[in-house]
Amino acid sequence: MSKNGKSRFDRRELLKTSAMALGGTWLAGEMAEAYPKVVNTNSSPSTLKITDLRVANVVKPGPSPCPIIRIDTNQGVYGLGEVRDGASPTYALFLKSRILGENPLQLDRIFRKIKQFGGHARQGGGVCAVEMALWDIAGKVYNAPVYALVGGGKFRDKVRVYADTTESKDPKVYGQRMKERKEVMGITWLKMDLGIDMVSDTPGTVTMRSDLTDWEMNQLPHPLLAMEVTDKGIAMLEQYVAAVRDAVGMEIPLSMDHLGHLGVKSIIRLGKAYEKYNLSWMEDVIPWTYTDLLKQISEESPTPILTGEDIYLKEPFQVLCEKHAVSKIHPDLATSGGILETHKIGDMAEEYGVPMAMHFAGTPVSCMANVHCAAATQNFLALENHSLDVPWWSSLVQEGVKTPIVNHGWIDVPDRPGLGVTANEDVVRQHLAPGSGYFEPTPQWDQERSWDRLWS
């Protein structure tokens, strides 16, 4: 239709006319006939409207619960998304009344409308879940996988997975467990959790105040605890890293997480002690908000520093990358703003020479959102998975994915429309949070209203 609304063109006729003008009978016949096949005739995009948002709250081993959301439309097309692991479904349900009646294909407009209700860490989970579900709908309507819509294509056909394993206070046992990850499961990027709790029961390993309360231990940022590891403690921790490297070799990438709530100087000393083991990164060594302290650690530690799983939206990542406060970033797509925002974060980081791993600990729904984003983002390294030892994890979804989803350390990028998966109702029902139901109606959230504009 022209801008004044007076002219209408039929696309089929336009193709035929063009073909005749070119004198190409093949173009007129073959192309004209093929053209409508990519259009989802079950959907009328311009009249699509959101009619409902429902939740199935899944409980699994490890980070949990994991609220899966379903956004329904007036044309039977629906989308799946997932609130970040450990977060409340309320973060998504709160947004229901703000998206009802909207055309789900207006993704950017809806995201701009609701992103003010997200925040760092789990507070971003609702906005991200909605964003994932909208992309799932868009892919189904336009008959295209999400990676094609977000990135214009893909850089890879399969996505590398990295994973940790259960710790052991026996270094040799720990090393053997990591070796099994590599040789039995085929994992090609390993991560080990190694904190001061592994050695703190040995006298002379950690210097800390006595009688710290649970609130202080769990709520005070690392630098405020005045906790430091001793030379003896570092030597004992180093034994674990040496045992793992002996077991898996120096060739495979090895990362480290959960070092403990230590001070800046202790982190630097650990980074120097681990230099000979060529770690890919030490993760979340202090809260990401301390940009200058992270920069200090990065400058003085030969072991690379990584952070990002609790950051919402691109702008804070840009601060870290501009100042080269970290060597690598790892957004959690269920916190960082969803699929498109995480893709933008990756592209931004690439401009500063910073590669991007991706943190993830949810169900296959969020996993596939991550896979599409990873496939479409050039500077991607590897995607985390916390459910390699959960036998039914892959079965939470069906269609479009191989079982198991993680196959010898890789996940195939699906080419089915949208995220490429549907919920397996029987399996999901077996693992619902006590007292919750399977995508039950949520009319109590239909009328939530406020004046949400941020300026007067």
Side-chain angles (χ1 to χ4, degrees):
M1 182 182 292
S2 65
K3 290 183 179 179
N4 60 18
K6 294 181 180 179
S7 300
R8 295 181 181 271
F9 298 95
D10 180 88
R11 293 187 177 186
R12 184 186 290 268
E13 291 301 316
L14 185 60
L15 277 172
K16 288 182 178 178
T17 303
S18 299
M20 291 176 64
L22 291 170
T25 56
W26 174 86
L27 187 63
E30 299 283 343
M31 279 190 64
E33 185 63 29
Y35 180 80
K37 292 182 179 178
V38 301
V39 177
N40 183 353
T41 56
N42 295 319
S43 172
S44 176
S46 63
T47 59
L48 200 62
K49 300 294 180 185
I50 295 172
T51 58
D52 207 352
L53 187 158
R54 302 186 180 194
V55 176
N57 201 15
V58 172
V59 175
K60 64 173 183 59
S64 197
C66 300
I68 300 172
I69 72 164
R70 191 185 76 198
I71 293 180
D72 297 332
T73 70
N74 60 338
Q75 295 175 25
V77 184
Y78 70 88
L80 296 177
E82 184 177 333
V83 182
R84 183 167 170 187
D85 58 277
S88 168
T90 302
Y91 285 127
L93 291 167
F94 171 78
L95 302 172
K96 180 181 178 181
S97 64
R98 291 164 172 84
I99 64 174
L100 286 177
E102 294 276 8
N103 186 328
L105 304 180
Q106 301 296 326
L107 283 101
D108 191 34
R109 192 181 79 168
I110 295 175
F111 180 73
R112 290 169 188 261
K113 179 180 181 180
I114 65 174
K115 73 175 183 178
Q116 63 179 295
F117 301 109
H120 299 303
R122 269 67 185 175
Q123 296 177 35
V127 172
C128 298
V130 169
E131 198 262 6
M132 292 180 217
L134 296 180
W135 278 114
D136 194 22
I137 292 172
K140 292 172 180 175
V141 170
Y142 295 128
N143 197 30
V146 169
Y147 70 76
L149 300 176
V150 170
K154 56 184 176 179
F155 290 97
R156 50 195 62 86
D157 295 321
K158 57 183 182 178
V159 167
R160 186 188 307 275
V161 166
Y162 75 93
D164 55 15
T165 191
T166 305
E167 305 98 305
S168 170
K169 290 207 171 184
D170 183 331
K172 290 185 178 180
V173 172
Y174 203 170
Q176 182 60 35
R177 290 175 180 174
M178 298 290 281
K179 185 177 182 179
E180 290 174 2
R181 281 281 196 252
K182 175 187 174 184
E183 297 184 354
V184 178
M185 289 192 171
I187 301 300
T188 62
W189 192 308
L190 300 170
K191 190 178 82 167
M192 61 186 302
D193 292 342
L194 186 62
I196 54 173
D197 57 307
M198 296 285 280
V199 300
S200 58
D201 55 355
T202 299
T205 56
V206 179
T207 302
M208 60 185 294
R209 291 177 290 162
S210 61
D211 302 321
L212 285 171
T213 66
D214 288 341
W215 182 86
E216 289 172 316
M217 288 297 295
N218 292 303
Q219 299 299 323
L220 281 183
H222 306 34
L224 305 185
L225 283 172
M227 188 183 300
E228 306 291 347
V229 63
T230 68
D231 288 343
K232 181 178 180 179
I234 291 175
M236 291 183 66
L237 290 167
E238 192 178 340
Q239 292 176 15
Y240 290 97
V241 189
V244 170
R245 273 302 187 200
D246 285 344
V248 304
M250 291 295 293
E251 294 77 19
I252 188 170
L254 175 64
S255 303
M256 183 183 291
D257 194 7
H258 296 292
L259 281 74
H261 289 197
L262 292 168
V264 168
K265 297 299 183 182
S266 284
I267 296 297
I268 293 170
R269 289 167 60 225
L270 283 170
K272 292 177 178 178
Y274 296 151
E275 179 180 11
K276 65 176 70 72
Y277 305 107
N278 210 34
L279 299 181
S280 297
W281 69 68
M282 297 191 303
E283 181 174 328
D284 295 331
V285 291
I286 60 173
W288 64 268
T289 50
Y290 293 109
T291 306
D292 291 337
L293 293 179
L294 282 169
K295 182 175 177 61
Q296 178 188 348
I297 295 170
S298 291
E299 289 176 343
E300 298 184 34
S301 167
T303 300
I305 303 301
L306 167 144
T307 196
E309 68 183 71
D310 293 319
I311 299 177
Y312 181 60
L313 301 181
K314 182 181 72 175
E315 290 76 14
F317 281 101
Q318 187 155 0
V319 172
L320 291 169
C321 292
E322 281 179 343
K323 294 193 174 186
H324 292 282
V326 292
S327 300
K328 301 176 178 72
I329 58 170
H330 76 144
D332 188 305
L333 186 145
T335 283
S336 57
I339 299 171
L340 180 58
E341 186 76 359
T342 306
H343 175 64
K344 291 178 179 179
I345 290 166
D347 283 351
M348 175 278 299
E350 183 178 348
E351 295 296 317
Y352 296 97
V354 178
M356 181 179 79
M358 296 175 71
H359 180 272
F360 164 73
T363 79
V365 173
S366 182
C367 179
M368 299 318 296
N370 278 269
V371 166
H372 283 279
C373 182
T377 307
Q378 182 167 259
N379 67 334
F380 165 78
L381 294 175
L383 170 65
E384 188 166 21
N385 190 287
H386 274 276
S387 297
L388 296 181
D389 300 313
V390 181
W392 48 265
W393 182 82
S394 293
S395 300
L396 287 168
V397 296
Q398 57 191 358
E399 300 180 23
V401 293
K402 296 179 180 178
T403 300
I405 292 173
V406 181
N407 185 17
H408 294 288
W410 300 86
I411 301 176
D412 288 339
V413 180
D415 287 323
R416 288 171 55 86
L419 295 180
V421 295
T422 60
N424 185 338
E425 181 175 350
D426 290 341
V427 178
V428 172
R429 283 186 178 276
Q430 293 172 24
H431 301 286
L432 291 172
S436 66
Y438 182 82
F439 295 125
E440 293 182 348
T442 56
Q444 67 272 28
W445 292 98
D446 289 357
Q447 303 301 321
E448 172 73 25
R449 288 289 184 273
S450 65
W451 182 244
D452 293 332
R453 199 172 71 186
L454 299 179
W455 45 272
S456 298

